[in-house]
Amino acid sequence: MTGKAEPRPGGADPGQGAADPRPGAADPRPGAADPRPGAAGTEADSGGPESRFLAELGQRVRTMRSVRAMSRKVLSQTSGLSERYIAQLEGGQGNVSIILLRRVSQAMGVRLEDLIASVESPPDWPVVRDLLASATLEQVAQAKRVLSGSAAPGESDARRVALIGLRGAGKSTLGRILAERTGWSFVELNREIERENGLSVAEIFAIYGQETYRRLEQGALRRLAERPGPMVLATGGGIVAEPVTFDLLLSAFFTVWLKARPEEHMHRVREQAAKGLGAARLPDNDDALRELRAVLLSREPLYARARAVVDTAGHTVAETAGRLTGLVEGHFTAARR
């Protein structure tokens, strides 16, 4: 029996080069990745592809958080992760596990998103995805219209106008004035959501979270898009955060971005709070203004997809209402020709 290794039940081959099966032990084979926390290998720290991947991942997380107007504190509370970890992730110092998972996907020749998809994709999805990746903008737009069954932005002849922009842009105030001058109905999307569900928006967020609110928002918008008769719709500032919902808005409504400077948004929100028209969620300090600027910066490319823009900066309500009314009347007059 001398020199013969005893085969332990479930044990690894004790021969040279075998992996140590103990939890957390590193694989001693040449070139193997060490899965232990902090053992990312040198590439992630050397400015190579993995370092760039982590930096890009952090940028995407930061942008998505800003679009949704979530502070790190709120994201920390919602996700159960520490603010410190979120800061590290956004700074390109994400957990090594994502790098190891990326190496696995690369070794198998598959995409990382295919490994972490929350639902099973149809067999043809990889083909469709690759075709979309090489498609022109017009081909992508056509594909979206086929899949959603909607018209192209601006092709609908229904007299429906949607106002978008950050809180404090004047969507409700200007929307009511526009509706009065045109004789159309006026609807606030958030009030419609509250009416349908018997809860305030704040209660929906507190009880069910942002994901449920976005689902209810999309459902309410679909029903409004099917409602007959001309309409002016004031939307929530974050409607651009959900791509499917925003595409529905763009295709079913003549969409106008009410644009303003961050300082004006801040001032108007505080005026609303002082009049009892809304809760002041923005503290009176420089951090709040910086955060608002970051939200606006992240959303501007999305707001810019609107069919028209009305810049409210430096203009009175009466002046802006006149310009908005002229814009809408001119659009629908031209559309009827």
Side-chain angles (χ1 to χ4, degrees), residues 43 76 82 87 117 152 184 191 203 220 241 249 280-281 290 292 331:
E43 188 180 357
S76 170
S82 70
W184 298 1
R191 302 293 82 78
E203 289 171 332
L249 186 76
R281 292 181 292 177
R290 277 195 296 271
L292 192 147
H331 168 76

Side-chain angles (χ1 to χ4, degrees), residues 5 18 37 45 74 77 101 109 137 139 144 155 172 187 189 192 206 218 223 232 261 277 281 297 318 333:
D45 301 322
V74 171
Q77 294 170 342
L101 187 58
L137 291 177
Q139 288 172 326
K144 286 198 302 183
E155 286 184 358
S172 296
V187 179
L189 184 54
E192 192 71 10
Q218 185 177 128
R223 287 183 284 277
V232 177
R261 293 190 296 265
L277 301 177
R281 292 181 292 177
L297 182 64
T333 298

